[in-house]
PDB file of all heavy atoms in Angstrom:
ATOM      1  N   ALA A  24       2.537   0.058   9.179  1.00 98.00           N
ATOM      2  CA  ALA A  24       1.784   0.220  10.423  1.00 98.00           C
ATOM      3  C   ALA A  24       2.734   0.518  11.576  1.00 98.00           C
ATOM      4  O   ALA A  24       2.459   1.379  12.417  1.00 98.00           O
ATOM      5  CB  ALA A  24       0.956  -1.028  10.711  1.00 98.00           C
ATOM      6  N   GLY A  25       3.872  -0.173  11.614  1.00 98.00           N
ATOM      7  CA  GLY A  25       4.865   0.066  12.656  1.00 98.00           C
ATOM      8  C   GLY A  25       5.477   1.452  12.569  1.00 98.00           C
ATOM      9  O   GLY A  25       5.663   2.122  13.587  1.00 98.00           O
ATOM     10  N   ILE A  26       5.769   1.888  11.380  1.00 97.00           N
ATOM     11  CA  ILE A  26       6.362   3.213  11.184  1.00 97.00           C
ATOM     12  C   ILE A  26       5.385   4.313  11.600  1.00 97.00           C
ATOM     13  O   ILE A  26       5.762   5.268  12.271  1.00 97.00           O
ATOM     14  CB  ILE A  26       6.783   3.409   9.703  1.00 97.00           C
ATOM     15  CG1 ILE A  26       7.968   2.495   9.360  1.00 97.00           C
ATOM     16  CG2 ILE A  26       7.126   4.869   9.414  1.00 97.00           C
ATOM     17  CD1 ILE A  26       8.271   2.404   7.867  1.00 97.00           C
ATOM     18  N   LEU A  27       4.129   4.163  11.207  1.00 98.00           N
ATOM     19  CA  LEU A  27       3.128   5.199  11.460  1.00 98.00           C
ATOM     20  C   LEU A  27       2.500   5.097  12.838  1.00 98.00           C
ATOM     21  O   LEU A  27       1.903   6.057  13.317  1.00 98.00           O
ATOM     22  CB  LEU A  27       2.036   5.158  10.400  1.00 98.00           C
ATOM     23  CG  LEU A  27       2.300   5.945   9.125  1.00 98.00           C
ATOM     24  CD1 LEU A  27       3.441   5.370   8.324  1.00 98.00           C
ATOM     25  CD2 LEU A  27       1.051   6.016   8.285  1.00 98.00           C
ATOM     26  N   GLY A  28       2.588   3.923  13.460  1.00 98.00           N
ATOM     27  CA  GLY A  28       1.965   3.734  14.770  1.00 98.00           C
ATOM     28  C   GLY A  28       0.447   3.647  14.688  1.00 98.00           C
ATOM     29  O   GLY A  28      -0.244   4.092  15.603  1.00 98.00           O
ATOM     30  N   ILE A  29      -0.058   3.096  13.582  1.00 98.00           N
ATOM     31  CA  ILE A  29      -1.498   2.890  13.429  1.00 98.00           C
ATOM     32  C   ILE A  29      -1.735   1.434  13.044  1.00 98.00           C
ATOM     33  O   ILE A  29      -0.795   0.704  12.729  1.00 98.00           O
ATOM     34  CB  ILE A  29      -2.121   3.849  12.382  1.00 98.00           C
ATOM     35  CG1 ILE A  29      -1.514   3.640  10.994  1.00 98.00           C
ATOM     36  CG2 ILE A  29      -1.959   5.303  12.825  1.00 98.00           C
ATOM     37  CD1 ILE A  29      -2.170   4.473   9.896  1.00 98.00           C
ATOM     38  N   SER A  30      -2.972   1.005  13.048  1.00 98.00           N
ATOM     39  CA  SER A  30      -3.289  -0.396  12.777  1.00 98.00           C
ATOM     40  C   SER A  30      -3.050  -0.752  11.307  1.00 98.00           C
ATOM     41  O   SER A  30      -3.080   0.116  10.428  1.00 98.00           O
ATOM     42  CB  SER A  30      -4.750  -0.687  13.133  1.00 98.00           C
ATOM     43  OG  SER A  30      -5.624  -0.064  12.208  1.00 98.00           O
ATOM     44  N   GLU A  31      -2.836  -2.044  11.066  1.00 98.00           N
ATOM     45  CA  GLU A  31      -2.680  -2.520   9.696  1.00 98.00           C
ATOM     46  C   GLU A  31      -3.950  -2.272   8.892  1.00 98.00           C
ATOM     47  O   GLU A  31      -3.888  -1.970   7.705  1.00 98.00           O
ATOM     48  CB  GLU A  31      -2.311  -4.003   9.683  1.00 98.00           C
ATOM     49  CG  GLU A  31      -0.912  -4.272  10.185  1.00 98.00           C
ATOM     50  CD  GLU A  31      -0.497  -5.722  10.049  1.00 98.00           C
ATOM     51  OE1 GLU A  31      -1.170  -6.490   9.310  1.00 98.00           O
ATOM     52  OE2 GLU A  31       0.506  -6.101  10.672  1.00 98.00           O
ATOM     53  N   SER A  32      -5.097  -2.381   9.540  1.00 98.00           N
ATOM     54  CA  SER A  32      -6.370  -2.118   8.871  1.00 98.00           C
ATOM     55  C   SER A  32      -6.436  -0.669   8.382  1.00 98.00           C
ATOM     56  O   SER A  32      -6.859  -0.406   7.246  1.00 98.00           O
ATOM     57  CB  SER A  32      -7.526  -2.405   9.824  1.00 98.00           C
ATOM     58  OG  SER A  32      -8.747  -2.055   9.248  1.00 98.00           O
ATOM     59  N   ALA A  33      -6.023   0.265   9.227  1.00 98.00           N
ATOM     60  CA  ALA A  33      -6.018   1.679   8.845  1.00 98.00           C
ATOM     61  C   ALA A  33      -5.046   1.918   7.689  1.00 98.00           C
ATOM     62  O   ALA A  33      -5.362   2.647   6.740  1.00 98.00           O
ATOM     63  CB  ALA A  33      -5.670   2.567  10.033  1.00 98.00           C
ATOM     64  N   VAL A  34      -3.870   1.303   7.753  1.00 98.00           N
ATOM     65  CA  VAL A  34      -2.883   1.440   6.672  1.00 98.00           C
ATOM     66  C   VAL A  34      -3.481   0.914   5.370  1.00 98.00           C
ATOM     67  O   VAL A  34      -3.364   1.550   4.317  1.00 98.00           O
ATOM     68  CB  VAL A  34      -1.565   0.705   7.011  1.00 98.00           C
ATOM     69  CG1 VAL A  34      -0.653   0.627   5.792  1.00 98.00           C
ATOM     70  CG2 VAL A  34      -0.848   1.391   8.153  1.00 98.00           C
ATOM     71  N   SER A  35      -4.141  -0.233   5.428  1.00 98.00           N
ATOM     72  CA  SER A  35      -4.740  -0.821   4.233  1.00 98.00           C
ATOM     73  C   SER A  35      -5.788   0.101   3.622  1.00 98.00           C
ATOM     74  O   SER A  35      -5.872   0.227   2.396  1.00 98.00           O
ATOM     75  CB  SER A  35      -5.367  -2.177   4.561  1.00 98.00           C
ATOM     76  OG  SER A  35      -4.368  -3.113   4.889  1.00 98.00           O
ATOM     77  N   GLN A  36      -6.579   0.744   4.458  1.00 98.00           N
ATOM     78  CA  GLN A  36      -7.592   1.673   3.951  1.00 98.00           C
ATOM     79  C   GLN A  36      -6.938   2.860   3.247  1.00 98.00           C
ATOM     80  O   GLN A  36      -7.389   3.291   2.176  1.00 98.00           O
ATOM     81  CB  GLN A  36      -8.485   2.161   5.088  1.00 98.00           C
ATOM     82  CG  GLN A  36      -9.395   1.082   5.634  1.00 98.00           C
ATOM     83  CD  GLN A  36     -10.195   1.557   6.839  1.00 98.00           C
ATOM     84  OE1 GLN A  36     -10.282   2.745   7.109  1.00 98.00           O
ATOM     85  NE2 GLN A  36     -10.777   0.613   7.559  1.00 98.00           N
ATOM     86  N   HIS A  37      -5.869   3.380   3.842  1.00 98.00           N
ATOM     87  CA  HIS A  37      -5.148   4.493   3.209  1.00 98.00           C
ATOM     88  C   HIS A  37      -4.505   4.047   1.900  1.00 98.00           C
ATOM     89  O   HIS A  37      -4.545   4.775   0.903  1.00 98.00           O
ATOM     90  CB  HIS A  37      -4.082   5.043   4.146  1.00 98.00           C
ATOM     91  CG  HIS A  37      -4.629   5.797   5.319  1.00 98.00           C
ATOM     92  ND1 HIS A  37      -5.482   6.868   5.184  1.00 98.00           N
ATOM     93  CD2 HIS A  37      -4.435   5.630   6.652  1.00 98.00           C
ATOM     94  CE1 HIS A  37      -5.793   7.335   6.379  1.00 98.00           C
ATOM     95  NE2 HIS A  37      -5.173   6.597   7.287  1.00 98.00           N
ATOM     96  N   LEU A  38      -3.921   2.847   1.883  1.00 98.00           N
ATOM     97  CA  LEU A  38      -3.273   2.347   0.676  1.00 98.00           C
ATOM     98  C   LEU A  38      -4.279   2.142  -0.455  1.00 98.00           C
ATOM     99  O   LEU A  38      -3.953   2.363  -1.623  1.00 98.00           O
ATOM    100  CB  LEU A  38      -2.528   1.043   0.966  1.00 98.00           C
ATOM    101  CG  LEU A  38      -1.230   1.200   1.747  1.00 98.00           C
ATOM    102  CD1 LEU A  38      -0.741  -0.157   2.242  1.00 98.00           C
ATOM    103  CD2 LEU A  38      -0.166   1.880   0.903  1.00 98.00           C
ATOM    104  N   ARG A  39      -5.491   1.744  -0.118  1.00 98.00           N
ATOM    105  CA  ARG A  39      -6.526   1.564  -1.133  1.00 98.00           C
ATOM    106  C   ARG A  39      -6.776   2.886  -1.863  1.00 98.00           C
ATOM    107  O   ARG A  39      -6.855   2.928  -3.093  1.00 98.00           O
ATOM    108  CB  ARG A  39      -7.816   1.050  -0.502  1.00 98.00           C
ATOM    109  CG  ARG A  39      -8.940   0.827  -1.506  1.00 98.00           C
ATOM    110  CD  ARG A  39     -10.232   0.383  -0.847  1.00 98.00           C
ATOM    111  NE  ARG A  39     -10.651   1.210   0.267  1.00 98.00           N
ATOM    112  CZ  ARG A  39     -11.261   2.403   0.158  1.00 98.00           C
ATOM    113  NH1 ARG A  39     -11.515   2.899  -1.032  1.00 98.00           N
ATOM    114  NH2 ARG A  39     -11.605   3.088   1.226  1.00 98.00           N
ATOM    115  N   ILE A  40      -6.861   3.970  -1.108  1.00 97.00           N
ATOM    116  CA  ILE A  40      -7.071   5.293  -1.701  1.00 97.00           C
ATOM    117  C   ILE A  40      -5.871   5.693  -2.558  1.00 97.00           C
ATOM    118  O   ILE A  40      -6.015   6.163  -3.684  1.00 97.00           O
ATOM    119  CB  ILE A  40      -7.342   6.340  -0.598  1.00 97.00           C
ATOM    120  CG1 ILE A  40      -8.687   6.044   0.077  1.00 97.00           C
ATOM    121  CG2 ILE A  40      -7.293   7.764  -1.150  1.00 97.00           C
ATOM    122  CD1 ILE A  40      -8.918   6.784   1.372  1.00 97.00           C
ATOM    123  N   LEU A  41      -4.675   5.479  -2.028  1.00 98.00           N
ATOM    124  CA  LEU A  41      -3.462   5.843  -2.763  1.00 98.00           C
ATOM    125  C   LEU A  41      -3.294   5.014  -4.033  1.00 98.00           C
ATOM    126  O   LEU A  41      -2.826   5.529  -5.057  1.00 98.00           O
ATOM    127  CB  LEU A  41      -2.239   5.699  -1.846  1.00 98.00           C
ATOM    128  CG  LEU A  41      -2.192   6.655  -0.652  1.00 98.00           C
ATOM    129  CD1 LEU A  41      -1.059   6.268   0.293  1.00 98.00           C
ATOM    130  CD2 LEU A  41      -2.062   8.097  -1.113  1.00 98.00           C
ATOM    131  N   ARG A  42      -3.677   3.735  -3.975  1.00 97.00           N
ATOM    132  CA  ARG A  42      -3.617   2.871  -5.163  1.00 97.00           C
ATOM    133  C   ARG A  42      -4.622   3.327  -6.217  1.00 97.00           C
ATOM    134  O   ARG A  42      -4.311   3.369  -7.405  1.00 97.00           O
ATOM    135  CB  ARG A  42      -3.903   1.415  -4.796  1.00 97.00           C
ATOM    136  CG  ARG A  42      -2.691   0.578  -4.544  1.00 97.00           C
ATOM    137  CD  ARG A  42      -2.969  -0.915  -4.528  1.00 97.00           C
ATOM    138  NE  ARG A  42      -4.311  -1.305  -4.135  1.00 97.00           N
ATOM    139  CZ  ARG A  42      -4.702  -1.588  -2.894  1.00 97.00           C
ATOM    140  NH1 ARG A  42      -3.844  -1.528  -1.909  1.00 97.00           N
ATOM    141  NH2 ARG A  42      -5.940  -1.951  -2.640  1.00 97.00           N
ATOM    142  N   THR A  43      -5.825   3.660  -5.773  1.00 96.00           N
ATOM    143  CA  THR A  43      -6.878   4.102  -6.691  1.00 96.00           C
ATOM    144  C   THR A  43      -6.432   5.328  -7.481  1.00 96.00           C
ATOM    145  O   THR A  43      -6.729   5.450  -8.670  1.00 96.00           O
ATOM    146  CB  THR A  43      -8.175   4.414  -5.920  1.00 96.00           C
ATOM    147  OG1 THR A  43      -8.604   3.221  -5.251  1.00 96.00           O
ATOM    148  CG2 THR A  43      -9.272   4.907  -6.832  1.00 96.00           C
ATOM    149  N   LEU A  44      -5.700   6.217  -6.829  1.00 96.00           N
ATOM    150  CA  LEU A  44      -5.225   7.438  -7.479  1.00 96.00           C
ATOM    151  C   LEU A  44      -3.860   7.256  -8.157  1.00 96.00           C
ATOM    152  O   LEU A  44      -3.261   8.222  -8.615  1.00 96.00           O
ATOM    153  CB  LEU A  44      -5.165   8.577  -6.460  1.00 96.00           C
ATOM    154  CG  LEU A  44      -6.536   9.009  -5.939  1.00 96.00           C
ATOM    155  CD1 LEU A  44      -6.388   9.959  -4.761  1.00 96.00           C
ATOM    156  CD2 LEU A  44      -7.357   9.646  -7.047  1.00 96.00           C
ATOM    157  N   ARG A  45      -3.369   6.026  -8.186  1.00 96.00           N
ATOM    158  CA  ARG A  45      -2.091   5.672  -8.803  1.00 96.00           C
ATOM    159  C   ARG A  45      -0.900   6.388  -8.168  1.00 96.00           C
ATOM    160  O   ARG A  45       0.078   6.706  -8.834  1.00 96.00           O
ATOM    161  CB  ARG A  45      -2.108   5.928 -10.310  1.00 96.00           C
ATOM    162  CG  ARG A  45      -3.095   5.071 -11.057  1.00 96.00           C
ATOM    163  CD  ARG A  45      -3.079   5.294 -12.541  1.00 96.00           C
ATOM    164  NE  ARG A  45      -2.680   6.641 -12.898  1.00 96.00           N
ATOM    165  CZ  ARG A  45      -1.905   6.944 -13.930  1.00 96.00           C
ATOM    166  NH1 ARG A  45      -1.448   6.026 -14.713  1.00 96.00           N
ATOM    167  NH2 ARG A  45      -1.603   8.205 -14.176  1.00 96.00           N
ATOM    168  N   LEU A  46      -0.990   6.626  -6.862  1.00 97.00           N
ATOM    169  CA  LEU A  46       0.152   7.197  -6.152  1.00 97.00           C
ATOM    170  C   LEU A  46       1.083   6.097  -5.680  1.00 97.00           C
ATOM    171  O   LEU A  46       2.293   6.306  -5.547  1.00 97.00           O
ATOM    172  CB  LEU A  46      -0.314   8.047  -4.971  1.00 97.00           C
ATOM    173  CG  LEU A  46      -1.166   9.266  -5.334  1.00 97.00           C
ATOM    174  CD1 LEU A  46      -1.641   9.981  -4.080  1.00 97.00           C
ATOM    175  CD2 LEU A  46      -0.402  10.209  -6.227  1.00 97.00           C
ATOM    176  N   VAL A  47       0.532   4.919  -5.399  1.00 98.00           N
ATOM    177  CA  VAL A  47       1.337   3.761  -5.021  1.00 98.00           C
ATOM    178  C   VAL A  47       0.936   2.565  -5.875  1.00 98.00           C
ATOM    179  O   VAL A  47      -0.160   2.521  -6.438  1.00 98.00           O
ATOM    180  CB  VAL A  47       1.210   3.405  -3.515  1.00 98.00           C
ATOM    181  CG1 VAL A  47       1.651   4.554  -2.631  1.00 98.00           C
ATOM    182  CG2 VAL A  47      -0.178   2.935  -3.166  1.00 98.00           C
ATOM    183  N   LYS A  48       1.845   1.619  -5.965  1.00 98.00           N
ATOM    184  CA  LYS A  48       1.575   0.360  -6.662  1.00 98.00           C
ATOM    185  C   LYS A  48       1.918  -0.778  -5.717  1.00 98.00           C
ATOM    186  O   LYS A  48       2.627  -0.588  -4.712  1.00 98.00           O
ATOM    187  CB  LYS A  48       2.393   0.271  -7.948  1.00 98.00           C
ATOM    188  CG  LYS A  48       3.899   0.326  -7.733  1.00 98.00           C
ATOM    189  CD  LYS A  48       4.632   0.364  -9.045  1.00 98.00           C
ATOM    190  CE  LYS A  48       6.135   0.540  -8.801  1.00 98.00           C
ATOM    191  NZ  LYS A  48       6.863   0.662 -10.060  1.00 98.00           N
ATOM    192  N   SER A  49       1.415  -1.960  -6.017  1.00 98.00           N
ATOM    193  CA  SER A  49       1.657  -3.109  -5.149  1.00 98.00           C
ATOM    194  C   SER A  49       2.291  -4.250  -5.934  1.00 98.00           C
ATOM    195  O   SER A  49       2.145  -4.349  -7.151  1.00 98.00           O
ATOM    196  CB  SER A  49       0.347  -3.569  -4.506  1.00 98.00           C
ATOM    197  OG  SER A  49      -0.583  -3.959  -5.498  1.00 98.00           O
ATOM    198  N   ARG A  50       2.993  -5.099  -5.175  1.00 97.00           N
ATOM    199  CA  ARG A  50       3.633  -6.285  -5.743  1.00 97.00           C
ATOM    200  C   ARG A  50       3.485  -7.402  -4.728  1.00 97.00           C
ATOM    201  O   ARG A  50       3.852  -7.245  -3.565  1.00 97.00           O
ATOM    202  CB  ARG A  50       5.110  -6.006  -6.014  1.00 97.00           C
ATOM    203  CG  ARG A  50       5.902  -7.221  -6.504  1.00 97.00           C
ATOM    204  CD  ARG A  50       7.369  -6.895  -6.642  1.00 97.00           C
ATOM    205  NE  ARG A  50       8.019  -6.630  -5.377  1.00 97.00           N
ATOM    206  CZ  ARG A  50       8.485  -7.564  -4.538  1.00 97.00           C
ATOM    207  NH1 ARG A  50       8.340  -8.848  -4.811  1.00 97.00           N
ATOM    208  NH2 ARG A  50       9.095  -7.217  -3.416  1.00 97.00           N
ATOM    209  N   LYS A  51       2.915  -8.515  -5.153  1.00 97.00           N
ATOM    210  CA  LYS A  51       2.721  -9.640  -4.245  1.00 97.00           C
ATOM    211  C   LYS A  51       3.934 -10.555  -4.298  1.00 97.00           C
ATOM    212  O   LYS A  51       4.442 -10.889  -5.365  1.00 97.00           O
ATOM    213  CB  LYS A  51       1.452 -10.401  -4.621  1.00 97.00           C
ATOM    214  CG  LYS A  51       1.042 -11.404  -3.597  1.00 97.00           C
ATOM    215  CD  LYS A  51      -0.362 -11.878  -3.820  1.00 97.00           C
ATOM    216  CE  LYS A  51      -0.707 -12.795  -2.650  1.00 97.00           C
ATOM    217  NZ  LYS A  51      -2.109 -13.037  -2.528  1.00 97.00           N
ATOM    218  N   ASP A  52       4.390 -10.964  -3.114  1.00 96.00           N
ATOM    219  CA  ASP A  52       5.510 -11.895  -2.992  1.00 96.00           C
ATOM    220  C   ASP A  52       5.095 -12.947  -1.971  1.00 96.00           C
ATOM    221  O   ASP A  52       5.192 -12.715  -0.763  1.00 96.00           O
ATOM    222  CB  ASP A  52       6.769 -11.153  -2.540  1.00 96.00           C
ATOM    223  CG  ASP A  52       7.999 -12.056  -2.518  1.00 96.00           C
ATOM    224  OD1 ASP A  52       7.939 -13.177  -3.062  1.00 96.00           O
ATOM    225  OD2 ASP A  52       9.022 -11.629  -1.950  1.00 96.00           O
ATOM    226  N   GLY A  53       4.607 -14.073  -2.456  1.00 96.00           N
ATOM    227  CA  GLY A  53       4.084 -15.086  -1.548  1.00 96.00           C
ATOM    228  C   GLY A  53       2.816 -14.575  -0.889  1.00 96.00           C
ATOM    229  O   GLY A  53       1.879 -14.156  -1.553  1.00 96.00           O
ATOM    230  N   ARG A  54       2.827 -14.560   0.436  1.00 95.00           N
ATOM    231  CA  ARG A  54       1.654 -14.088   1.179  1.00 95.00           C
ATOM    232  C   ARG A  54       1.707 -12.592   1.489  1.00 95.00           C
ATOM    233  O   ARG A  54       0.735 -12.038   1.979  1.00 95.00           O
ATOM    234  CB  ARG A  54       1.523 -14.886   2.477  1.00 95.00           C
ATOM    235  CG  ARG A  54       1.166 -16.340   2.236  1.00 95.00           C
ATOM    236  CD  ARG A  54       1.140 -17.146   3.487  1.00 95.00           C
ATOM    237  NE  ARG A  54       0.440 -16.449   4.559  1.00 95.00           N
ATOM    238  CZ  ARG A  54      -0.018 -17.016   5.640  1.00 95.00           C
ATOM    239  NH1 ARG A  54       0.143 -18.296   5.815  1.00 95.00           N
ATOM    240  NH2 ARG A  54      -0.626 -16.308   6.567  1.00 95.00           N
ATOM    241  N   LEU A  55       2.832 -11.982   1.238  1.00 96.00           N
ATOM    242  CA  LEU A  55       2.978 -10.559   1.537  1.00 96.00           C
ATOM    243  C   LEU A  55       2.781  -9.706   0.294  1.00 96.00           C
ATOM    244  O   LEU A  55       3.114 -10.117  -0.814  1.00 96.00           O
ATOM    245  CB  LEU A  55       4.367 -10.260   2.128  1.00 96.00           C
ATOM    246  CG  LEU A  55       4.632 -10.769   3.534  1.00 96.00           C
ATOM    247  CD1 LEU A  55       6.077 -10.475   3.935  1.00 96.00           C
ATOM    248  CD2 LEU A  55       3.678 -10.125   4.526  1.00 96.00           C
ATOM    249  N   VAL A  56       2.246  -8.522   0.515  1.00 97.00           N
ATOM    250  CA  VAL A  56       2.105  -7.538  -0.559  1.00 97.00           C
ATOM    251  C   VAL A  56       2.993  -6.356  -0.199  1.00 97.00           C
ATOM    252  O   VAL A  56       2.922  -5.829   0.914  1.00 97.00           O
ATOM    253  CB  VAL A  56       0.638  -7.077  -0.720  1.00 97.00           C
ATOM    254  CG1 VAL A  56       0.534  -6.033  -1.816  1.00 97.00           C
ATOM    255  CG2 VAL A  56      -0.270  -8.259  -1.016  1.00 97.00           C
ATOM    256  N   TYR A  57       3.845  -5.979  -1.123  1.00 98.00           N
ATOM    257  CA  TYR A  57       4.748  -4.853  -0.919  1.00 98.00           C
ATOM    258  C   TYR A  57       4.262  -3.662  -1.730  1.00 98.00           C
ATOM    259  O   TYR A  57       3.775  -3.807  -2.842  1.00 98.00           O
ATOM    260  CB  TYR A  57       6.175  -5.217  -1.340  1.00 98.00           C
ATOM    261  CG  TYR A  57       6.800  -6.230  -0.414  1.00 98.00           C
ATOM    262  CD1 TYR A  57       6.698  -7.590  -0.673  1.00 98.00           C
ATOM    263  CD2 TYR A  57       7.473  -5.816   0.721  1.00 98.00           C
ATOM    264  CE1 TYR A  57       7.256  -8.518   0.187  1.00 98.00           C
ATOM    265  CE2 TYR A  57       8.034  -6.740   1.592  1.00 98.00           C
ATOM    266  CZ  TYR A  57       7.920  -8.089   1.314  1.00 98.00           C
ATOM    267  OH  TYR A  57       8.470  -9.007   2.177  1.00 98.00           O
ATOM    268  N   TYR A  58       4.429  -2.492  -1.152  1.00 98.00           N
ATOM    269  CA  TYR A  58       3.973  -1.253  -1.775  1.00 98.00           C
ATOM    270  C   TYR A  58       5.164  -0.358  -2.062  1.00 98.00           C
ATOM    271  O   TYR A  58       6.146  -0.344  -1.319  1.00 98.00           O
ATOM    272  CB  TYR A  58       2.973  -0.534  -0.873  1.00 98.00           C
ATOM    273  CG  TYR A  58       1.707  -1.328  -0.721  1.00 98.00           C
ATOM    274  CD1 TYR A  58       1.588  -2.288   0.264  1.00 98.00           C
ATOM    275  CD2 TYR A  58       0.644  -1.137  -1.599  1.00 98.00           C
ATOM    276  CE1 TYR A  58       0.429  -3.053   0.385  1.00 98.00           C
ATOM    277  CE2 TYR A  58      -0.511  -1.891  -1.491  1.00 98.00           C
ATOM    278  CZ  TYR A  58      -0.609  -2.845  -0.498  1.00 98.00           C
ATOM    279  OH  TYR A  58      -1.755  -3.598  -0.395  1.00 98.00           O
ATOM    280  N   ALA A  59       5.047   0.389  -3.160  1.00 98.00           N
ATOM    281  CA  ALA A  59       6.082   1.341  -3.567  1.00 98.00           C
ATOM    282  C   ALA A  59       5.388   2.517  -4.243  1.00 98.00           C
ATOM    283  O   ALA A  59       4.217   2.425  -4.629  1.00 98.00           O
ATOM    284  CB  ALA A  59       7.056   0.680  -4.536  1.00 98.00           C
ATOM    285  N   LEU A  60       6.100   3.621  -4.389  1.00 98.00           N
ATOM    286  CA  LEU A  60       5.554   4.751  -5.132  1.00 98.00           C
ATOM    287  C   LEU A  60       5.341   4.326  -6.580  1.00 98.00           C
ATOM    288  O   LEU A  60       6.133   3.554  -7.130  1.00 98.00           O
ATOM    289  CB  LEU A  60       6.494   5.955  -5.070  1.00 98.00           C
ATOM    290  CG  LEU A  60       6.726   6.548  -3.675  1.00 98.00           C
ATOM    291  CD1 LEU A  60       7.637   7.766  -3.770  1.00 98.00           C
ATOM    292  CD2 LEU A  60       5.412   6.907  -3.004  1.00 98.00           C
ATOM    293  N   ASP A  61       4.272   4.801  -7.175  1.00 96.00           N
ATOM    294  CA  ASP A  61       3.922   4.369  -8.524  1.00 96.00           C
ATOM    295  C   ASP A  61       4.984   4.746  -9.548  1.00 96.00           C
ATOM    296  O   ASP A  61       5.302   3.964 -10.426  1.00 96.00           O
ATOM    297  CB  ASP A  61       2.568   4.937  -8.933  1.00 96.00           C
ATOM    298  CG  ASP A  61       2.068   4.322 -10.212  1.00 96.00           C
ATOM    299  OD1 ASP A  61       1.662   3.151 -10.170  1.00 96.00           O
ATOM    300  OD2 ASP A  61       2.114   5.004 -11.253  1.00 96.00           O
ATOM    301  N   ASP A  62       5.528   5.951  -9.440  1.00 94.00           N
ATOM    302  CA  ASP A  62       6.593   6.356 -10.357  1.00 94.00           C
ATOM    303  C   ASP A  62       7.344   7.559  -9.786  1.00 94.00           C
ATOM    304  O   ASP A  62       7.008   8.055  -8.712  1.00 94.00           O
ATOM    305  CB  ASP A  62       6.061   6.651 -11.771  1.00 94.00           C
ATOM    306  CG  ASP A  62       5.048   7.769 -11.825  1.00 94.00           C
ATOM    307  OD1 ASP A  62       5.142   8.719 -11.007  1.00 94.00           O
ATOM    308  OD2 ASP A  62       4.157   7.725 -12.678  1.00 94.00           O
ATOM    309  N   SER A  63       8.327   8.022 -10.519  1.00 94.00           N
ATOM    310  CA  SER A  63       9.185   9.102 -10.034  1.00 94.00           C
ATOM    311  C   SER A  63       8.441  10.427  -9.898  1.00 94.00           C
ATOM    312  O   SER A  63       8.881  11.300  -9.154  1.00 94.00           O
ATOM    313  CB  SER A  63      10.400   9.270 -10.948  1.00 94.00           C
ATOM    314  OG  SER A  63       9.979   9.622 -12.254  1.00 94.00           O
TER     315      SER A  63
END
């Protein structure tokens, strides 16, 4: 959200779409969820 200058809610909505299409994956660490590209 900080990098893009948009709300966390908007980022989450975009990430949901990207996750659904397997472009990104998530990893939970405590209360935070980290995102990365799904593969090379």
Side-chain angles (χ1 to χ4, degrees):
I26 291 168
L27 274 66
I29 61 175
S30 71
E31 290 186 15
S32 175
V34 169
S35 292
Q36 290 175 15
H37 289 305
L38 286 167
R39 180 183 50 79
I40 293 166
L41 295 171
R42 265 195 332 268
T43 300
L44 293 170
R45 296 182 331 141
L46 298 176
V47 300
K48 60 185 175 184
S49 61
R50 175 185 67 82
K51 191 166 185 164
D52 185 12
R54 292 176 45 163
L55 290 176
V56 179
Y57 291 92
Y58 294 87
L60 297 182
D61 190 73
D62 61 32
S63 62

